[in-house]
Amino acid sequence: RYVVLTTKHHEGFTNWGSPVSWNWNSLDTGPHRDLVGELGEALRESNLRYGLYHSLMEWFNPLYLADKQNGFKTQSFVLKKTMPELYDLVLKYKPDLIWSDGDWEAPDSYWNSTSFLAWLYNDSPVKDTVVVNDRWGQGCSCHHGGFYNCADKFRPGTLPEHKWEMCSSLDRLSWGYRSNMSLAEVMDDSSVIEELVQTVSLGGNYLLNVGPTKEGVIVPIFQERLLALGRWLDTNGEAIYESQPWRVQVENTTDTVWYTSKGPVVFAIFLLWPRDGVLRLSSPLPSPGTQVTLLGFGGTLPWQEQPGKGMLISLPSMLPAPVPPRSGWAVKLEGVK
């Protein structure tokens, strides 16, 4: 469980008192606060891991524009701005994760990525705990990194061999806050739950973005979506947190049943409640001792072997919550193969 804060986006404003961003940082102007440090303290008090997003490039920085004009044969911007800030972030805040971005215009040799990462993993104060993503220069995405993002809102389709993360945004059209955003452009509860379930079933982590206002406020519609996801995880988190992909990720007969596992226990997460109240699973192979429970509902569920293979599970007639979600329930299967 982790939170990633944007310490600096492509416009160059830093949310901490960067010594190489004079007068264009959150200590010198605006809130006059160290936002990176304050959020880090609050997260660690809550036992959450802390990740720092950092853009390597800056759209308007004259040093960067000069290096770009020179075909990235000069490195004034990297030596005077990017690298000093990255080292400062690591030494000052000791992050658990570094989420690099803004790399795509230049090769990793311009950014000095390999020398920074060598220091990070061998000599930095977080060398034994830190993880990084895959955006460290042209051609790095999906090839190099502790975990892969590959692209914004990337969906692999099948189980990847390398650890990966799906980064998505509640606002379907933007990663930042838009005052002209309409309700139809915001992901609904069901869509968020569906993305989460599909991602975790395929071995990924889910990073859900919220764009706060310029005052740092998370607007009510975003709060409502996040709280709804939290309520869903209160009931179904056992099937999500610390889970592993199962031998089958999704039912071949439908794309509405996804699987996760923890050791011998298998979870089948179904996104649509069957109209006849019977959940049909063709992948699990039951045994005489198989037990089935519905997360959030007391007692075991009756089941029978499906002719051919698989299971027919009789779901309760009463949905397992006072105000049922529109999507996503999980059955826990013990004693199946």
Side-chain angles (χ1 to χ4, degrees):
R1 305 181 196 204
Y2 58 108
V3 172
V4 179
L5 173 71
T6 300
T7 67
K8 182 191 79 170
H9 203 252
H10 311 322
E11 87 295 328
F13 185 89
T14 69
N15 282 315
W16 85 102
S18 165
V20 289
S21 190
W22 178 79
N23 215 32
W24 189 230
N25 67 72
S26 64
L27 269 187
D28 290 344
T29 189
H32 296 284
R33 291 166 68 178
D34 176 6
L35 303 178
V36 178
E38 288 185 36
L39 182 63
E41 287 177 19
L43 290 172
R44 287 182 164 131
E45 285 174 9
S46 302
N47 292 318
L48 288 166
R49 302 282 187 176
Y50 193 25
L52 301 181
Y53 168 106
H54 174 268
S55 173
L56 295 173
M57 62 107 100
E58 293 176 19
W59 282 321
F60 315 115
N61 193 299
L63 296 175
Y64 180 71
L65 294 175
D67 286 347
K68 187 175 178 179
Q69 188 73 31
N70 295 332
F72 298 111
K73 298 291 189 282
T74 55
Q75 288 181 294
S76 297
F77 175 71
V78 172
L79 298 175
K80 294 177 181 176
K81 190 70 162 64
T82 297
M83 281 301 145
E85 284 186 340
L86 266 177
Y87 282 95
D88 189 49
L89 282 171
V90 173
L91 293 170
K92 198 172 283 180
Y93 303 110
K94 301 175 179 56
D96 301 299
L97 184 156
I98 296 177
W99 214 103
S100 183
D101 196 18
D103 62 319
W104 59 85
E105 291 188 341
D108 64 278
S109 54
Y110 168 74
W111 297 116
N112 285 351
S113 298
T114 49
S115 61
F116 170 74
L117 291 169
W119 170 80
L120 185 71
Y121 281 126
N122 289 286
D123 300 311
S124 81
V126 292
K127 61 187 174 67
D128 297 321
T129 53
V130 73
V131 292
V132 303
N133 67 338
D134 57 353
R135 300 184 183 185
W136 297 95
Q138 282 174 344
C140 283
S141 262
C142 243
H143 293 100
H144 304 287
F147 63 92
Y148 295 166
N149 292 116
C150 296
D152 292 347
K153 305 186 181 182
F154 171 72
R155 297 179 183 225
T158 56
L159 183 64
E161 294 182 0
H162 194 84
K163 185 62 185 175
W164 67 285
E165 176 191 75
M166 152 56 130
C167 57
S168 189
S169 183
L170 279 175
D171 180 350
R172 296 178 190 272
L173 302 184
S174 177
W175 298 87
Y177 174 72
R178 295 184 302 134
S179 58
N180 62 346
M181 175 183 67
S182 72
L183 184 59
E185 294 162 345
V186 180
M187 290 178 70
D188 59 20
D189 303 353
S190 299
S191 302
V192 174
I193 291 166
E194 187 175 327
E195 270 192 353
L196 169 68
V197 169
Q198 293 176 359
T199 298
V200 174
S201 293
L202 291 169
N205 281 31
Y206 189 52
L207 187 68
L208 184 60
N209 174 76
V210 175
T213 67
K214 66 182 186 297
E215 294 83 12
V217 172
I218 296 176
V219 293
I221 186 63
F222 290 162
Q223 292 184 37
E224 194 276 333
R225 296 294 190 265
L226 294 174
L227 290 168
L229 180 59
R231 285 192 298 272
W232 188 87
L233 284 166
D234 282 344
T235 301
N236 299 287
E238 186 183 352
I240 299 293
Y241 292 119
E242 299 175 9
S243 66
Q244 299 288 328
W246 192 43
R247 61 174 175 83
V248 175
Q249 288 80 58
V250 60
E251 278 290 340
N252 55 16
T253 54
T254 170
D255 60 358
T256 62
V257 180
W258 295 78
Y259 290 100
T260 61
S261 67
K262 280 186 188 175
V265 177
V266 176
F267 298 92
I269 307 170
F270 52 107
L271 300 173
L272 295 175
W273 191 274
R275 286 189 175 182
D276 60 0
V278 177
L279 180 63
R280 292 163 174 81
L281 303 177
S282 59
S283 300
L285 305 175
S287 64
T290 293
Q291 275 205 332
V292 181
T293 50
L294 180 67
L295 297 188
F297 184 80
T300 58
L301 301 182
W303 63 273
Q304 61 188 77
E305 282 199 61
Q306 188 166 238
K309 65 169 185 174
M311 306 172 66
L312 299 173
I313 299 170
S314 298
L315 298 170
S317 54
M318 178 73 73
L319 290 176
V323 183
R326 287 176 290 168
S327 180
W329 300 265
V331 288
K332 181 178 181 178
L333 308 173
E334 298 173 270
V336 300
K337 291 183 179 176

